[in-house]
Amino acid sequence: MKDTQTIKKQANNTQKTMRISGSEAIIHCLLAEGVDILYGYPGGAIMPVYDELYKFRDKIHHVLTRHEQGAAHAAQGYARISGKVGVAMATSGPGATNLITGIADAQIDSTPLVCITGQVASHLLGSDAFQETDIVGISTPVTKWNCQVTKASQIPEAIAKAFYIAKSGRPGPVLVDITKDAQLEEFDFKYEKCTGVRSYNPIPDTDTEAVKEAAKLINAAKKPMIVWGQGVILGKAEAELKAVIEKAGIPSAWTILGASAVPTSHPLNVGMVGMHGNYAPNVLTNQCDVLIAIGMRFDDRVTGSLNTYAKQAKVIHFEIDPAEIDKNVKTEIAVLGNSKDSLSQLLPLLETNSHDAWLQEFKDLYAIEFEKVIKEDLTPSKEGLTMGEVIKQINIETKGNAAIVSDVGQHQMIACRYADFNISKSNITSGGLGTMGFALPAAIGAKMAAPEREVVAIIGDGGFQMNIQELGTIFQQKTPVKIVVLNNEFLGMVRQWQQLFFDKRYASTEMTNPNFVAIAEGYYIKARKVVKREELADAVKEMIESKESYFLEVCVEKEGNVFPMIPTGASVSEVRLC
């Protein structure tokens, strides 16, 4: 890892003109942007860049993943926990298209990525040459911006623009496709960081009058409720949010990507909203008089039926992206801008308040949820292990300070519901796209970005097998990731829906699984399997205390369900407890 002075020196050096190849220019551009880790997979159309990368291997650490999708997800994990831009690289054709799932995931979850792909020589474009695909056309719907470079001289401006767009405003993925002849061509190189793009305004100016109106509405509210999302974390507004919550005494809930912005133990943190969120914030969304949405986009998994969502409430929406205003939920007041700036302006205008009677309603509903759901999830009376008690044991050993990287499915919802989050950027998961196979490579990137933190991947037996090959990356890189597979021998979330809504017709959801422990040991990763409750505490303790990577398989009840649950198309107030 290079220190800041080294990076600045490299950036300054690039201001001098020097005659180099396009491929070497790419490396100098990355160095100027402070890149020290990138994830990728070589191939013919990107080989000149890899040849130059070999010469700079003491400055940029390249991580050879076992699949390009793994590279994109690893770059996502790196970006999500560090707040920096993640970088992934691949060759043309299938190499480039294999990045698409990760790029799409990053787009909907607002993750800053720069993806660099090789392309066939410019004179072959459109000829159906070997490993040619129109990756710019393919990626256009799932990128914040993309471009194709056919001349070496275009490389510095394209990459500078890519980094600026990826990280500014509402972050997102960009893709730069570079033809092979552009990589080989020499030119007079000079690099200047991008500081603006014509007609692109990444952070709207905050309207002070809108902030004042929002404050008046909040001060007059009898039953206010906050729902915050990842925009708080992306805007580095955790302290401002906490101050607003505490000064105004407002019960506050979170979306899954907003988790960890405020510690789960905070007395005004009333839990998660959404399809498998907590009972109280879901039900009381339809009873609050003012709903304050901060850095969230009113996703359908949060709102349920829009026809019945918070119709009694006046909605205040704090949001950086104007396209999200009134897209799904009509607002009374929209406050555009970065959440840190907006909440900083709001705070002094708020009256010190408490809403004890209103908060008690959340506590009363939590008590109902505890008796009907939580108690059995965390301290079950039945013989079979539950996913919840595994998360509880991880909480005990990590003291709520671990970064939890979850895949998609029942285990994801259980991890989000029951993990203790004391530190921001601790819940790394695939939110909007719901990508199975996300967690294992994302955990690699997260651990590399934050080696001082414990990183625990929580994965189902289905999702684990989608990118199981990345165990090889963990082994080769010696990345001390802790991997927990909660094995119920089903595609659990789909099976739950089949049970509840398709008369238990378990069509193509039962899994005949391999020997996961043997596979992990085949990659020289220490592994253990737990089938009995009395084995769990010792196994989790052994895993967390390990200084190396560790694989733990826990066999959980086969037909356990995740509740509460809002059926598709139902109102948030129709959330089911069983």
Side-chain angles (χ1 to χ4, degrees):
M1 301 285 285
K2 301 184 297 301
D3 59 35
T4 304
Q5 291 301 318
T6 303
I7 293 170
K8 285 181 177 177
K9 184 177 179 182
Q10 289 165 343
N12 290 334
N13 285 343
T14 59
Q15 299 304 310
K16 300 175 183 178
T17 300
M18 50 184 172
R19 192 155 189 86
I20 58 176
S21 68
S23 55
E24 185 178 350
I26 293 168
I27 307 304
H28 283 287
C29 293
L30 296 178
L31 289 171
E33 293 291 344
V35 175
D36 50 19
I37 296 178
L38 69 87
Y39 303 87
Y41 205 99
I46 197 71
M47 203 174 297
V49 180
Y50 272 88
D51 187 54
E52 291 298 334
L53 190 60
Y54 180 81
K55 301 171 188 176
F56 286 85
R57 61 191 182 279
D58 60 329
K59 293 182 172 64
I60 298 181
H61 177 52
H62 178 268
V63 178
L64 175 64
T65 57
R66 296 309 188 258
H67 192 285
E68 292 88 353
Q69 183 183 345
H73 291 326
Q76 284 181 272
Y78 176 93
R80 290 274 289 274
I81 202 169
S82 70
K84 300 177 183 178
V85 177
V87 182
M89 192 158 66
T91 192
S92 63
T97 58
N98 282 344
L99 290 174
I100 289 296
T101 297
I103 292 172
D105 195 284
Q107 172 79 338
I108 201 165
D109 282 355
S110 304
T111 304
L113 291 189
V114 168
C115 297
I116 297 172
T117 54
Q119 183 56 275
V120 300
S122 57
H123 72 278
L124 293 174
L125 290 173
S127 69
D128 293 331
F130 177 67
Q131 291 192 333
E132 181 198 0
T133 58
D134 178 12
I135 194 62
V136 171
I138 291 169
S139 65
T140 294
V142 293
T143 50
K144 190 177 177 184
W145 177 76
N146 65 14
C147 72
Q148 185 173 79
V149 172
T150 58
K151 298 287 186 182
S153 59
Q154 300 168 342
I155 288 172
E157 182 180 359
I159 292 183
K161 190 175 178 180
F163 273 89
Y164 174 74
I165 292 174
K167 65 188 176 184
S168 59
R170 181 179 180 176
V174 301
L175 183 141
V176 180
D177 189 46
I178 307 175
T179 61
K180 192 167 184 178
D181 52 325
Q183 298 170 42
L184 295 170
E185 181 186 7
E186 289 192 348
F187 73 112
D188 293 328
F189 171 78
K190 183 179 180 181
Y191 190 73
E192 294 181 6
K193 287 191 176 184
C194 181
T195 57
V197 176
R198 185 179 178 182
S199 76
Y200 169 54
N201 181 26
I203 304 178
D205 294 331
T206 300
D207 183 348
T208 55
E209 290 303 313
V211 177
K212 290 177 183 177
E213 290 301 312
K216 287 180 184 177
L217 206 53
I218 294 169
N219 289 335
K222 301 301 181 185
K223 293 185 174 184
M225 177 178 167
I226 287 173
V227 177
W228 83 80
Q230 189 185 202
V232 171
I233 295 172
L234 295 173
K236 302 178 182 178
E238 294 93 338
E240 289 76 12
L241 173 64
K242 184 170 178 285
V244 164
I245 290 171
E246 291 175 347
K247 185 176 183 181
I250 301 176
S252 302
W254 38 274
T255 69
I256 62 169
L257 293 183
S260 80
V262 175
T264 48
S265 59
H266 193 285
L268 289 170
N269 184 336
V270 295
M272 181 172 76
V273 292
M275 180 171 282
H276 292 285
N278 292 101
Y279 188 53
N282 274 321
V283 169
L284 296 178
T285 294
N286 279 2
Q287 295 182 31
C288 66
D289 58 357
V290 176
L291 179 63
I292 306 120
I294 306 173
M296 55 88 77
R297 58 188 180 85
F298 292 110
D299 174 77
D300 65 292
R301 289 297 172 103
V302 166
T303 65
S305 170
L306 286 170
N307 293 328
T308 58
Y309 183 78
K311 291 301 181 182
Q312 80 296 335
K314 294 180 177 178
V315 177
I316 304 171
H317 196 175
F318 289 82
E319 175 59 44
I320 197 170
D321 186 354
E324 295 297 342
I325 301 299
D326 293 334
K327 185 177 81 174
N328 295 323
V329 173
K330 296 298 180 182
T331 59
E332 185 83 10
I333 300 170
V335 181
L336 289 171
N338 177 280
S339 56
K340 189 178 187 71
D341 295 335
S342 300
L343 295 180
S344 295
Q345 291 184 41
L346 177 70
L347 183 62
L349 303 176
L350 294 177
E351 297 172 359
T352 301
N353 207 342
S354 62
H355 298 277
D356 295 338
W358 173 231
L359 181 61
Q360 187 61 46
E361 292 189 41
F362 286 87
K363 293 178 180 178
D364 291 344
L365 291 182
Y366 175 82
I368 294 172
E369 181 184 353
F370 183 85
E371 285 301 317
K372 292 191 174 183
V373 178
I374 297 172
K375 184 166 66 174
E376 189 61 26
D377 277 348
L378 300 183
T379 53
S381 57
K382 50 194 157 190
E383 182 178 342
L385 280 162
T386 67
M387 295 183 182
E389 60 186 312
V390 180
I391 303 301
K392 178 182 177 181
Q393 199 61 45
I394 291 171
N395 288 337
I396 292 170
E397 294 300 330
T398 63
K399 298 179 173 57
N401 295 324
I404 303 297
V405 185
S406 57
D407 214 79
V408 173
Q410 288 181 315
H411 64 279
Q412 176 192 35
M413 295 296 102
I414 291 291
C416 290
R417 283 175 53 80
Y418 295 126
D420 290 338
F421 297 121
N422 296 332
I423 304 169
S424 185
K425 299 177 184 172
S426 290
N427 186 43
I428 300 168
T429 191
S430 174
L433 196 64
T435 305
M436 293 177 67
F438 171 88
L440 188 61
I444 296 170
K447 184 63 178 178
M448 288 182 168
E452 75 286 354
R453 295 196 63 185
E454 193 72 74
V455 175
V456 183
I458 308 294
I459 316 177
D461 50 310
F464 180 56
Q465 293 178 83
M466 285 197 168
N467 273 316
I468 194 171
Q469 74 284 341
E470 298 307 329
L471 291 173
T473 307
I474 291 172
F475 164 58
Q476 183 169 347
Q477 297 295 322
K478 297 180 172 57
T479 310
V481 172
K482 309 301 168 60
I483 308 152
V484 180
V485 167
L486 301 178
N487 184 2
N488 58 11
E489 298 181 342
F490 268 108
L491 298 176
M493 187 62 82
V494 184
R495 184 214 56 77
Q496 177 170 334
W497 280 57
Q498 289 172 333
Q499 176 186 336
L500 298 176
F501 307 115
F502 293 88
D503 296 325
K504 293 189 176 182
R505 293 187 295 275
Y506 294 160
S508 302
T509 49
E510 190 163 9
M511 304 283 289
T512 301
N513 289 319
N515 185 333
F516 289 131
V517 169
I519 291 171
E521 289 177 339
Y523 284 101
Y524 304 97
I525 295 171
K526 187 171 183 180
R528 183 170 174 179
K529 182 175 182 178
V530 168
V531 296
K532 297 180 180 178
R533 182 165 289 118
E534 53 268 26
E535 303 169 331
L536 181 63
D538 180 66
V540 173
K541 181 179 178 64
E542 181 180 282
M543 175 184 71
I544 297 302
E545 289 181 350
S546 174
K547 302 299 182 185
E548 300 176 346
S549 55
Y550 193 108
F551 174 85
L552 178 62
E553 177 187 1
V554 183
C555 296
V556 296
E557 54 182 342
K558 290 190 66 172
E559 296 187 56
N561 289 330
V562 181
F563 287 105
M565 180 181 183
I566 303 170
T568 300
S571 166
V572 290
S573 55
E574 295 175 311
V575 57
R576 294 175 51 172
L577 290 174
C578 61

